[in-house]
Amino acid sequence: MSDTTTPSDTPAPSRHFIRQIIDRDLAEGKNDGRVITRFPPEPNGYLHIGHAKSICLNFGLAEEYGGQCHLRYDDTNPAAEEMEYVEAIERDVRWLGFDWGKHHYFASDYFEPFYRYAEELIQKGKAYVCTLSPEAFKEYRGVPTRPGKESPSRNRPPAESLDLFRRMRAGKFADGQYVLRAKIDMASPNLHMRDPVLYRIKRIHHHRTGEDWCIYPMYDFAHCISDAIEGITHSICTLEFEVHRPLYDWILEQISAPAHPQQIEFARLNLSYTVMSKRRLLQLVQEKHVAGWDDPRMPTICGMRRRGYPPEAIRTFCETIGVTKYDSMTEMELLEHCVRENLNKHALRRMAVLNPLRVVITNFPDTPAIDVKAVNNPEDTDAGTRTMAFTRELFIEREDFAEEPPPKFFRLAPGKSVRLRYAGFLTCERVEHDPATGDIAALHCRWDPPETKVKVKATIHWVSADQAREIEVRLYDRLFTVPDPMEVKDADFKRHLNPRSLSTVIARAEPALLDAAPGESFQFERTGYFCADMKDSRPGAPVFNQTAALKAVRAKKG
Ligand code: ATP
Ligand code: MG
């Protein structure tokens, strides 16, 4: 619970355990009162909403405590890394509202210091070059319940290891022929402490250092040293690194590191009805289950941007879910709720009919059109009003009419009346059927102006049939049909893909919608929130992505 009070309606940030740690550190004068965090993405994919949690946490804490947050690419594993991802990551972090200032780093900038620290470890007798094959390595390492076996290379004199290590760097050996290992404890119950590999030989092009190196450091070695070089005070990572922490600390204790940051672990975000691993998201893209990383159904930040999720809503979501040490599943509905709350305040209201049914007014006055005034946003009086043309022929939503209304159907039905938003009342006098198909072709209705006293129980939206324009609207459903597509490990998560996650309709929109700027969000009255697509919209011809329904689709549990 929060133990602070803040004025007005801004929710007090919860004093989650990381804030408590930092508060204590500051009270004790640790790190000279500095708070320096970092966000360390591996540039091997686009960022997703899970990364947003980490970004909001790291950049947010730095902001809150007047510190700084570094953007550091963890690019020590060259196999899968690309510059395309680097650019995308920066766009996404900025869009979320954060700024790294001048603190923009690549772990690959530290290849030389990493190497020097490795030599230092060797010279201190804390690391050795090992000849075990990968298979033997595994066998010697053993299982947590039984001590492992020491490698025959373990007692190699430091001078000999140093010579071999230098020749590893010089490219004298084949890939995989030797590795550099820390000399820690082959009996440790923590397998990460059983003489872990620090360096391996890998002849592979690196996106920044090219062919300069043929040995590359392992994550555990590179990460803690990168943190130390940058003077990070709080190195915040996800729970799976808890078992790596003893190694993080061990390495920093052995070498003459300039600092010893504190590693703090928190539970990663898991979100229902989606998957959250770059590897799996890449699979969806490569196998064309989605149109790309920025497909609006993707849990990626660029997908959510294209979908119309405001960055403030994502930040509110990240603050709302809090930070804990317990793995759990967060409901997608919560994210959608944050999006809706935000758009309700800011999105302009417009009228669009997604599934049009023609209405002919039988008693329309002798005039081409009647101007009606429509409110742009009832939540924001500054948003003003606009004029809509009300004409003899309209489109209304097909679902707003029932020829044989079920009980409690309060909208339009034969002989029944309904209010038209901003434009009086309709009473259905006659239903016209298509003689060939028997389908409803049009409704013939009487119209009564707004000042008339007509008893109705519902209001519906409409557009003028002559004035309305056709727009393409993409409607989205969940990407997966089950809350946890990964529930059965090793089974193919793609069998849970929702075949109806995307449907496209041609809607009829009031003319004001045609000027929508790419990326602009609207509430289509009674229908939901929609955002003009950033890629496929053309001047005067926007394409709309459904951002969210107006209300939660699924009733909240419990
Ligand atoms: P993935 O598992 O999706 O491939 P990753 O952990 O390999 O993600 P990185 O690029 O290494 O991706 O992540 C950068 C930072 O984002 C790391 O500090 C990581 O802990 C954090 N992060 C990644 N996924 C989540 C998540 N679901 N919730 C919170 N933080 C996350
Ligand atoms: Mg990672």
Side-chain angles (χ1 to χ4, degrees), residues 436-479:
T437 61
D439 292 344
I440 299 171
L443 304 179
H444 295 260
C445 298
R446 192 187 73 238
W447 175 68
D448 290 294
E451 55 278 10
T452 325
K453 284 211 159 47
V454 183
K455 261 186 88 176
V456 292
K457 283 187 169 159
T459 301
I460 64 171
H461 62 283
W462 54 273
V463 292
S464 154
D466 341 328
Q467 303 258 328
R469 293 288 168 270
E470 293 190 344
I471 51 167
E472 181 183 328
V473 176
R474 296 164 185 168
L475 303 171
Y476 296 109
D477 195 354
R478 305 256 185 264
L479 186 52

mmCIF file of all heavy atoms in Angstrom, residues 436-479:
data_model
loop_
_atom_site.group_PDB
_atom_site.id
_atom_site.type_symbol
_atom_site.label_atom_id
_atom_site.label_comp_id
_atom_site.label_asym_id
_atom_site.label_seq_id
_atom_site.Cartn_x
_atom_site.Cartn_y
_atom_site.Cartn_z
ATOM 1 N N ALA A 436 -35.451 -10.434 -54.233
ATOM 2 C CA ALA A 436 -34.694 -11.630 -54.615
ATOM 3 C C ALA A 436 -34.249 -12.430 -53.389
ATOM 4 O O ALA A 436 -34.420 -13.652 -53.337
ATOM 5 C CB ALA A 436 -33.478 -11.229 -55.446
ATOM 6 N N THR A 437 -33.695 -11.734 -52.393
ATOM 7 C CA THR A 437 -33.104 -12.457 -51.263
ATOM 8 C C THR A 437 -33.991 -12.479 -50.019
ATOM 9 O O THR A 437 -33.803 -13.296 -49.131
ATOM 10 C CB THR A 437 -31.769 -11.798 -50.855
ATOM 11 O OG1 THR A 437 -32.054 -10.443 -50.461
ATOM 12 C CG2 THR A 437 -30.771 -11.779 -51.999
ATOM 13 N N GLY A 438 -34.926 -11.564 -49.969
ATOM 14 C CA GLY A 438 -35.746 -11.463 -48.762
ATOM 15 C C GLY A 438 -35.069 -10.661 -47.658
ATOM 16 O O GLY A 438 -35.657 -10.406 -46.611
ATOM 17 N N ASP A 439 -33.817 -10.255 -47.888
ATOM 18 C CA ASP A 439 -33.094 -9.462 -46.878
ATOM 19 C C ASP A 439 -33.715 -8.080 -46.743
ATOM 20 O O ASP A 439 -34.339 -7.571 -47.681
ATOM 21 C CB ASP A 439 -31.630 -9.269 -47.293
ATOM 22 C CG ASP A 439 -30.861 -10.577 -47.243
ATOM 23 O OD1 ASP A 439 -31.370 -11.533 -46.605
ATOM 24 O OD2 ASP A 439 -29.764 -10.639 -47.853
ATOM 25 N N ILE A 440 -33.474 -7.470 -45.602
ATOM 26 C CA ILE A 440 -33.965 -6.113 -45.398
ATOM 27 C C ILE A 440 -33.142 -5.159 -46.260
ATOM 28 O O ILE A 440 -31.915 -5.138 -46.168
ATOM 29 C CB ILE A 440 -33.879 -5.712 -43.915
ATOM 30 C CG1 ILE A 440 -34.745 -6.667 -43.076
ATOM 31 C CG2 ILE A 440 -34.307 -4.259 -43.714
ATOM 32 C CD1 ILE A 440 -34.585 -6.514 -41.588
ATOM 33 N N ALA A 441 -33.802 -4.411 -47.109
ATOM 34 C CA ALA A 441 -33.091 -3.504 -48.015
ATOM 35 C C ALA A 441 -33.082 -2.077 -47.480
ATOM 36 O O ALA A 441 -32.119 -1.345 -47.680
ATOM 37 C CB ALA A 441 -33.740 -3.537 -49.395
ATOM 38 N N ALA A 442 -34.156 -1.660 -46.841
ATOM 39 C CA ALA A 442 -34.243 -0.292 -46.322
ATOM 40 C C ALA A 442 -35.398 -0.209 -45.329
ATOM 41 O O ALA A 442 -36.281 -1.069 -45.310
ATOM 42 C CB ALA A 442 -34.467 0.689 -47.465
ATOM 43 N N LEU A 443 -35.354 0.853 -44.535
ATOM 44 C CA LEU A 443 -36.456 1.130 -43.624
ATOM 45 C C LEU A 443 -37.083 2.446 -44.046
ATOM 46 O O LEU A 443 -36.370 3.385 -44.411
ATOM 47 C CB LEU A 443 -35.952 1.263 -42.185
ATOM 48 C CG LEU A 443 -35.166 0.099 -41.615
ATOM 49 C CD1 LEU A 443 -34.719 0.428 -40.184
ATOM 50 C CD2 LEU A 443 -35.992 -1.188 -41.636
ATOM 51 N N HIS A 444 -38.389 2.501 -44.012
ATOM 52 C CA HIS A 444 -39.075 3.760 -44.287
ATOM 53 C C HIS A 444 -39.606 4.258 -42.951
ATOM 54 O O HIS A 444 -40.347 3.549 -42.270
ATOM 55 C CB HIS A 444 -40.184 3.538 -45.311
ATOM 56 C CG HIS A 444 -39.613 3.123 -46.648
ATOM 57 N ND1 HIS A 444 -39.454 4.001 -47.694
ATOM 58 C CD2 HIS A 444 -39.102 1.927 -47.064
ATOM 59 C CE1 HIS A 444 -38.896 3.366 -48.719
ATOM 60 N NE2 HIS A 444 -38.662 2.093 -48.362
ATOM 61 N N CYS A 445 -39.158 5.447 -42.588
ATOM 62 C CA CYS A 445 -39.422 5.927 -41.227
ATOM 63 C C CYS A 445 -40.001 7.332 -41.228
ATOM 64 O O CYS A 445 -39.696 8.141 -42.114
ATOM 65 C CB CYS A 445 -38.132 5.964 -40.415
ATOM 66 S SG CYS A 445 -37.381 4.348 -40.201
ATOM 67 N N ARG A 446 -40.778 7.605 -40.176
ATOM 68 C CA ARG A 446 -41.231 8.966 -39.960
ATOM 69 C C ARG A 446 -40.205 9.664 -39.083
ATOM 70 O O ARG A 446 -39.569 9.028 -38.244
ATOM 71 C CB ARG A 446 -42.589 8.950 -39.254
ATOM 72 C CG ARG A 446 -43.267 10.331 -39.262
ATOM 73 C CD ARG A 446 -44.534 10.372 -38.421
ATOM 74 N NE ARG A 446 -44.220 10.344 -37.002
ATOM 75 C CZ ARG A 446 -44.670 9.423 -36.170
ATOM 76 N NH1 ARG A 446 -45.437 8.429 -36.600
ATOM 77 N NH2 ARG A 446 -44.352 9.480 -34.897
ATOM 78 N N TRP A 447 -40.022 10.952 -39.320
ATOM 79 C CA TRP A 447 -39.047 11.703 -38.522
ATOM 80 C C TRP A 447 -39.743 12.759 -37.698
ATOM 81 O O TRP A 447 -40.697 13.388 -38.168
ATOM 82 C CB TRP A 447 -38.019 12.360 -39.440
ATOM 83 C CG TRP A 447 -37.051 13.246 -38.708
ATOM 84 C CD1 TRP A 447 -36.092 12.855 -37.840
ATOM 85 C CD2 TRP A 447 -36.960 14.670 -38.782
ATOM 86 N NE1 TRP A 447 -35.401 13.923 -37.366
ATOM 87 C CE2 TRP A 447 -35.910 15.075 -37.922
ATOM 88 C CE3 TRP A 447 -37.659 15.671 -39.491
ATOM 89 C CZ2 TRP A 447 -35.534 16.404 -37.751
ATOM 90 C CZ3 TRP A 447 -37.295 17.005 -39.323
ATOM 91 C CH2 TRP A 447 -36.232 17.362 -38.459
ATOM 92 N N ASP A 448 -39.327 12.925 -36.470
ATOM 93 C CA ASP A 448 -39.820 14.013 -35.623
ATOM 94 C C ASP A 448 -38.633 14.801 -35.124
ATOM 95 O O ASP A 448 -37.654 14.222 -34.668
ATOM 96 C CB ASP A 448 -40.607 13.455 -34.437
ATOM 97 C CG ASP A 448 -41.925 12.844 -34.884
ATOM 98 O OD1 ASP A 448 -42.784 13.594 -35.362
ATOM 99 O OD2 ASP A 448 -42.063 11.593 -34.797
ATOM 100 N N PRO A 449 -38.720 16.131 -35.211
ATOM 101 C CA PRO A 449 -37.581 16.956 -34.792
ATOM 102 C C PRO A 449 -37.321 16.858 -33.282
ATOM 103 O O PRO A 449 -38.195 16.405 -32.540
ATOM 104 C CB PRO A 449 -37.994 18.374 -35.197
ATOM 105 C CG PRO A 449 -39.464 18.323 -35.434
ATOM 106 C CD PRO A 449 -39.836 16.928 -35.746
ATOM 107 N N PRO A 450 -36.130 17.281 -32.847
ATOM 108 C CA PRO A 450 -35.694 17.079 -31.459
ATOM 109 C C PRO A 450 -36.670 17.628 -30.421
ATOM 110 O O PRO A 450 -36.791 17.051 -29.346
ATOM 111 C CB PRO A 450 -34.362 17.835 -31.387
ATOM 112 C CG PRO A 450 -33.883 17.928 -32.783
ATOM 113 C CD PRO A 450 -35.087 17.919 -33.657
ATOM 114 N N GLU A 451 -37.359 18.734 -30.773
ATOM 115 C CA GLU A 451 -38.218 19.345 -29.752
ATOM 116 C C GLU A 451 -39.508 18.560 -29.533
ATOM 117 O O GLU A 451 -40.249 18.833 -28.595
ATOM 118 C CB GLU A 451 -38.500 20.824 -30.104
ATOM 119 C CG GLU A 451 -39.082 21.108 -31.474
ATOM 120 C CD GLU A 451 -38.033 21.144 -32.602
ATOM 121 O OE1 GLU A 451 -36.863 20.763 -32.377
ATOM 122 O OE2 GLU A 451 -38.389 21.539 -33.728
ATOM 123 N N THR A 452 -39.777 17.566 -30.364
ATOM 124 C CA THR A 452 -40.990 16.749 -30.214
ATOM 125 C C THR A 452 -40.899 15.911 -28.944
ATOM 126 O O THR A 452 -39.806 15.529 -28.525
ATOM 127 C CB THR A 452 -41.135 15.781 -31.414
ATOM 128 O OG1 THR A 452 -40.647 16.416 -32.582
ATOM 129 C CG2 THR A 452 -42.572 15.346 -31.601
ATOM 130 N N LYS A 453 -42.062 15.604 -28.336
ATOM 131 C CA LYS A 453 -42.053 14.708 -27.180
ATOM 132 C C LYS A 453 -42.339 13.292 -27.671
ATOM 133 O O LYS A 453 -43.466 12.956 -28.022
ATOM 134 C CB LYS A 453 -43.115 15.145 -26.173
ATOM 135 C CG LYS A 453 -42.702 16.370 -25.364
ATOM 136 C CD LYS A 453 -43.314 16.347 -23.966
ATOM 137 C CE LYS A 453 -42.548 17.225 -22.995
ATOM 138 N NZ LYS A 453 -42.216 18.566 -23.507
ATOM 139 N N VAL A 454 -41.307 12.501 -27.765
ATOM 140 C CA VAL A 454 -41.473 11.097 -28.173
ATOM 141 C C VAL A 454 -40.843 10.256 -27.083
ATOM 142 O O VAL A 454 -39.709 10.541 -26.661
ATOM 143 C CB VAL A 454 -40.778 10.806 -29.528
ATOM 144 C CG1 VAL A 454 -41.029 9.365 -29.955
ATOM 145 C CG2 VAL A 454 -41.263 11.766 -30.609
ATOM 146 N N LYS A 455 -41.565 9.237 -26.611
ATOM 147 C CA LYS A 455 -40.991 8.411 -25.547
ATOM 148 C C LYS A 455 -40.126 7.313 -26.172
ATOM 149 O O LYS A 455 -40.618 6.491 -26.946
ATOM 150 C CB LYS A 455 -42.106 7.782 -24.697
ATOM 151 C CG LYS A 455 -42.343 8.576 -23.411
ATOM 152 C CD LYS A 455 -43.333 7.903 -22.496
ATOM 153 C CE LYS A 455 -42.637 6.913 -21.574
ATOM 154 N NZ LYS A 455 -43.611 6.338 -20.616
ATOM 155 N N VAL A 456 -38.844 7.357 -25.884
ATOM 156 C CA VAL A 456 -37.943 6.319 -26.434
ATOM 157 C C VAL A 456 -37.026 5.830 -25.321
ATOM 158 O O VAL A 456 -36.859 6.491 -24.307
ATOM 159 C CB VAL A 456 -37.060 6.866 -27.586
ATOM 160 C CG1 VAL A 456 -37.890 7.182 -28.799
ATOM 161 C CG2 VAL A 456 -36.254 8.067 -27.143
ATOM 162 N N LYS A 457 -36.445 4.675 -25.538
ATOM 163 C CA LYS A 457 -35.544 4.112 -24.523
ATOM 164 C C LYS A 457 -34.114 3.993 -25.029
ATOM 165 O O LYS A 457 -33.258 3.458 -24.333
ATOM 166 C CB LYS A 457 -36.048 2.728 -24.105
ATOM 167 C CG LYS A 457 -37.236 2.797 -23.161
ATOM 168 C CD LYS A 457 -37.563 1.417 -22.648
ATOM 169 C CE LYS A 457 -38.571 1.486 -21.508
ATOM 170 N NZ LYS A 457 -39.258 0.206 -21.347
ATOM 171 N N ALA A 458 -33.861 4.444 -26.265
ATOM 172 C CA ALA A 458 -32.489 4.295 -26.770
ATOM 173 C C ALA A 458 -32.165 5.402 -27.750
ATOM 174 O O ALA A 458 -33.058 5.989 -28.370
ATOM 175 C CB ALA A 458 -32.313 2.939 -27.438
ATOM 176 N N THR A 459 -30.865 5.663 -27.886
ATOM 177 C CA THR A 459 -30.365 6.623 -28.864
ATOM 178 C C THR A 459 -29.412 5.872 -29.776
ATOM 179 O O THR A 459 -28.592 5.092 -29.299
ATOM 180 C CB THR A 459 -29.589 7.752 -28.146
ATOM 181 O OG1 THR A 459 -30.480 8.376 -27.218
ATOM 182 C CG2 THR A 459 -29.069 8.784 -29.128
ATOM 183 N N ILE A 460 -29.519 6.113 -31.059
ATOM 184 C CA ILE A 460 -28.606 5.437 -31.989
ATOM 185 C C ILE A 460 -27.823 6.468 -32.809
ATOM 186 O O ILE A 460 -28.224 7.625 -32.902
ATOM 187 C CB ILE A 460 -29.346 4.441 -32.935
ATOM 188 C CG1 ILE A 460 -30.319 5.190 -33.844
ATOM 189 C CG2 ILE A 460 -30.048 3.356 -32.110
ATOM 190 C CD1 ILE A 460 -30.927 4.293 -34.941
ATOM 191 N N HIS A 461 -26.730 6.028 -33.380
ATOM 192 C CA HIS A 461 -25.937 6.910 -34.238
ATOM 193 C C HIS A 461 -26.335 6.684 -35.691
ATOM 194 O O HIS A 461 -26.990 5.688 -36.022
ATOM 195 C CB HIS A 461 -24.435 6.697 -34.018
ATOM 196 C CG HIS A 461 -23.964 5.320 -34.361
ATOM 197 N ND1 HIS A 461 -24.170 4.234 -33.529
ATOM 198 C CD2 HIS A 461 -23.306 4.829 -35.442
ATOM 199 C CE1 HIS A 461 -23.637 3.150 -34.083
ATOM 200 N NE2 HIS A 461 -23.121 3.477 -35.240
ATOM 201 N N TRP A 462 -25.909 7.582 -36.547
ATOM 202 C CA TRP A 462 -26.343 7.571 -37.947
ATOM 203 C C TRP A 462 -25.352 8.374 -38.771
ATOM 204 O O TRP A 462 -24.544 9.122 -38.210
ATOM 205 C CB TRP A 462 -27.736 8.241 -38.060
ATOM 206 C CG TRP A 462 -27.722 9.623 -37.452
ATOM 207 C CD1 TRP A 462 -27.935 9.940 -36.143
ATOM 208 C CD2 TRP A 462 -27.413 10.865 -38.116
ATOM 209 N NE1 TRP A 462 -27.783 11.292 -35.938
ATOM 210 C CE2 TRP A 462 -27.463 11.890 -37.131
ATOM 211 C CE3 TRP A 462 -27.112 11.208 -39.443
ATOM 212 C CZ2 TRP A 462 -27.214 13.237 -37.440
ATOM 213 C CZ3 TRP A 462 -26.864 12.553 -39.744
ATOM 214 C CH2 TRP A 462 -26.916 13.555 -38.740
ATOM 215 N N VAL A 463 -25.406 8.218 -40.059
ATOM 216 C CA VAL A 463 -24.705 9.153 -40.959
ATOM 217 C C VAL A 463 -25.631 9.449 -42.131
ATOM 218 O O VAL A 463 -26.544 8.663 -42.440
ATOM 219 C CB VAL A 463 -23.358 8.583 -41.507
ATOM 220 C CG1 VAL A 463 -22.325 8.446 -40.399
ATOM 221 C CG2 VAL A 463 -23.563 7.266 -42.244
ATOM 222 N N SER A 464 -25.402 10.581 -42.766
ATOM 223 C CA SER A 464 -26.190 10.938 -43.943
ATOM 224 C C SER A 464 -25.761 10.053 -45.108
ATOM 225 O O SER A 464 -24.572 9.928 -45.395
ATOM 226 C CB SER A 464 -25.939 12.410 -44.299
ATOM 227 O OG SER A 464 -26.170 12.603 -45.686
ATOM 228 N N ALA A 465 -26.747 9.462 -45.795
ATOM 229 C CA ALA A 465 -26.392 8.566 -46.902
ATOM 230 C C ALA A 465 -25.705 9.310 -48.035
ATOM 231 O O ALA A 465 -24.804 8.782 -48.671
ATOM 232 C CB ALA A 465 -27.633 7.828 -47.401
ATOM 233 N N ASP A 466 -26.101 10.566 -48.323
ATOM 234 C CA ASP A 466 -25.436 11.267 -49.442
ATOM 235 C C ASP A 466 -24.070 11.798 -49.041
ATOM 236 O O ASP A 466 -23.186 11.912 -49.867
ATOM 237 C CB ASP A 466 -26.212 12.472 -50.002
ATOM 238 C CG ASP A 466 -27.678 12.488 -49.673
ATOM 239 O OD1 ASP A 466 -28.242 11.369 -49.569
ATOM 240 O OD2 ASP A 466 -28.224 13.598 -49.521
ATOM 241 N N GLN A 467 -23.961 12.200 -47.779
ATOM 242 C CA GLN A 467 -22.716 12.844 -47.365
ATOM 243 C C GLN A 467 -21.651 11.851 -46.915
ATOM 244 O O GLN A 467 -20.459 12.135 -47.026
ATOM 245 C CB GLN A 467 -23.002 13.790 -46.200
ATOM 246 C CG GLN A 467 -24.046 14.833 -46.521
ATOM 247 C CD GLN A 467 -23.421 16.174 -46.805
ATOM 248 O OE1 GLN A 467 -22.393 16.513 -46.249
ATOM 249 N NE2 GLN A 467 -24.024 16.924 -47.708
ATOM 250 N N ALA A 468 -22.077 10.731 -46.401
ATOM 251 C CA ALA A 468 -21.123 9.792 -45.815
ATOM 252 C C ALA A 468 -20.194 9.236 -46.887
ATOM 253 O O ALA A 468 -20.557 9.139 -48.058
ATOM 254 C CB ALA A 468 -21.855 8.651 -45.130
ATOM 255 N N ARG A 469 -18.976 8.901 -46.468
ATOM 256 C CA ARG A 469 -17.993 8.325 -47.382
ATOM 257 C C ARG A 469 -17.618 6.928 -46.893
ATOM 258 O O ARG A 469 -17.678 6.644 -45.693
ATOM 259 C CB ARG A 469 -16.732 9.201 -47.410
ATOM 260 C CG ARG A 469 -16.952 10.576 -48.027
ATOM 261 C CD ARG A 469 -17.131 10.476 -49.552
ATOM 262 N NE ARG A 469 -17.615 11.727 -50.124
ATOM 263 C CZ ARG A 469 -18.906 12.048 -50.287
ATOM 264 N NH1 ARG A 469 -19.864 11.197 -49.926
ATOM 265 N NH2 ARG A 469 -19.268 13.193 -50.819
ATOM 266 N N GLU A 470 -17.210 6.112 -47.828
ATOM 267 C CA GLU A 470 -16.779 4.760 -47.439
ATOM 268 C C GLU A 470 -15.370 4.812 -46.865
ATOM 269 O O GLU A 470 -14.493 5.465 -47.421
ATOM 270 C CB GLU A 470 -16.808 3.838 -48.657
ATOM 271 C CG GLU A 470 -18.218 3.598 -49.149
ATOM 272 C CD GLU A 470 -18.304 2.501 -50.203
ATOM 273 O OE1 GLU A 470 -17.236 2.134 -50.769
ATOM 274 O OE2 GLU A 470 -19.420 2.017 -50.455
ATOM 275 N N ILE A 471 -15.172 4.131 -45.767
ATOM 276 C CA ILE A 471 -13.809 4.014 -45.212
ATOM 277 C C ILE A 471 -13.558 2.555 -44.863
ATOM 278 O O ILE A 471 -14.477 1.824 -44.494
ATOM 279 C CB ILE A 471 -13.596 4.881 -43.937
ATOM 280 C CG1 ILE A 471 -14.701 4.615 -42.905
ATOM 281 C CG2 ILE A 471 -13.486 6.354 -44.271
ATOM 282 C CD1 ILE A 471 -14.383 5.172 -41.534
ATOM 283 N N GLU A 472 -12.293 2.175 -44.977
ATOM 284 C CA GLU A 472 -11.923 0.821 -44.582
ATOM 285 C C GLU A 472 -11.659 0.813 -43.078
ATOM 286 O O GLU A 472 -10.927 1.666 -42.564
ATOM 287 C CB GLU A 472 -10.660 0.383 -45.344
ATOM 288 C CG GLU A 472 -10.234 -1.035 -45.004
ATOM 289 C CD GLU A 472 -8.940 -1.439 -45.721
ATOM 290 O OE1 GLU A 472 -8.692 -0.971 -46.850
ATOM 291 O OE2 GLU A 472 -8.190 -2.225 -45.124
ATOM 292 N N VAL A 473 -12.267 -0.127 -42.393
ATOM 293 C CA VAL A 473 -12.092 -0.238 -40.947
ATOM 294 C C VAL A 473 -11.655 -1.655 -40.615
ATOM 295 O O VAL A 473 -12.260 -2.624 -41.081
ATOM 296 C CB VAL A 473 -13.410 0.099 -40.205
ATOM 297 C CG1 VAL A 473 -13.256 -0.119 -38.709
ATOM 298 C CG2 VAL A 473 -13.836 1.537 -40.483
ATOM 299 N N ARG A 474 -10.583 -1.758 -39.842
ATOM 300 C CA ARG A 474 -10.070 -3.077 -39.451
ATOM 301 C C ARG A 474 -10.459 -3.346 -38.005
ATOM 302 O O ARG A 474 -10.120 -2.581 -37.104
ATOM 303 C CB ARG A 474 -8.553 -3.110 -39.593
ATOM 304 C CG ARG A 474 -8.143 -2.943 -41.047
ATOM 305 C CD ARG A 474 -6.692 -2.577 -41.167
ATOM 306 N NE ARG A 474 -6.363 -2.313 -42.558
ATOM 307 C CZ ARG A 474 -5.228 -1.751 -42.958
ATOM 308 N NH1 ARG A 474 -4.327 -1.392 -42.064
ATOM 309 N NH2 ARG A 474 -4.995 -1.561 -44.241
ATOM 310 N N LEU A 475 -11.188 -4.414 -37.825
ATOM 311 C CA LEU A 475 -11.666 -4.781 -36.492
ATOM 312 C C LEU A 475 -10.779 -5.898 -35.949
ATOM 313 O O LEU A 475 -10.445 -6.838 -36.674
ATOM 314 C CB LEU A 475 -13.117 -5.257 -36.574
ATOM 315 C CG LEU A 475 -14.092 -4.235 -37.180
ATOM 316 C CD1 LEU A 475 -15.444 -4.888 -37.421
ATOM 317 C CD2 LEU A 475 -14.232 -3.025 -36.265
ATOM 318 N N TYR A 476 -10.412 -5.760 -34.704
ATOM 319 C CA TYR A 476 -9.490 -6.738 -34.125
ATOM 320 C C TYR A 476 -10.113 -7.497 -32.975
ATOM 321 O O TYR A 476 -10.871 -6.953 -32.179
ATOM 322 C CB TYR A 476 -8.226 -6.034 -33.619
ATOM 323 C CG TYR A 476 -7.457 -5.398 -34.742
ATOM 324 C CD1 TYR A 476 -7.419 -4.026 -34.889
ATOM 325 C CD2 TYR A 476 -6.813 -6.199 -35.689
ATOM 326 C CE1 TYR A 476 -6.737 -3.443 -35.937
ATOM 327 C CE2 TYR A 476 -6.130 -5.616 -36.740
ATOM 328 C CZ TYR A 476 -6.093 -4.237 -36.862
ATOM 329 O OH TYR A 476 -5.423 -3.673 -37.907
ATOM 330 N N ASP A 477 -9.736 -8.747 -32.896
ATOM 331 C CA ASP A 477 -10.087 -9.596 -31.763
ATOM 332 C C ASP A 477 -8.765 -10.068 -31.187
ATOM 333 O O ASP A 477 -7.693 -9.805 -31.749
ATOM 334 C CB ASP A 477 -10.954 -10.760 -32.267
ATOM 335 C CG ASP A 477 -11.659 -11.481 -31.130
ATOM 336 O OD1 ASP A 477 -11.399 -11.169 -29.950
ATOM 337 O OD2 ASP A 477 -12.475 -12.372 -31.430
ATOM 338 N N ARG A 478 -8.796 -10.801 -30.089
ATOM 339 C CA ARG A 478 -7.577 -11.316 -29.481
ATOM 340 C C ARG A 478 -6.747 -12.087 -30.502
ATOM 341 O O ARG A 478 -7.292 -12.777 -31.348
ATOM 342 C CB ARG A 478 -7.922 -12.265 -28.354
ATOM 343 C CG ARG A 478 -8.833 -11.646 -27.321
ATOM 344 C CD ARG A 478 -8.046 -11.300 -26.099
ATOM 345 N NE ARG A 478 -8.888 -10.815 -25.038
ATOM 346 C CZ ARG A 478 -9.119 -9.523 -24.789
ATOM 347 N NH1 ARG A 478 -8.588 -8.585 -25.548
ATOM 348 N NH2 ARG A 478 -9.878 -9.168 -23.779
ATOM 349 N N LEU A 479 -5.424 -11.992 -30.353
ATOM 350 C CA LEU A 479 -4.538 -12.725 -31.266
ATOM 351 C C LEU A 479 -4.607 -14.229 -30.990
ATOM 352 O O LEU A 479 -4.464 -15.043 -31.895
ATOM 353 C CB LEU A 479 -3.103 -12.206 -31.100
ATOM 354 C CG LEU A 479 -2.042 -12.735 -32.039
ATOM 355 C CD1 LEU A 479 -2.450 -12.618 -33.503
ATOM 356 C CD2 LEU A 479 -0.720 -12.013 -31.811
#
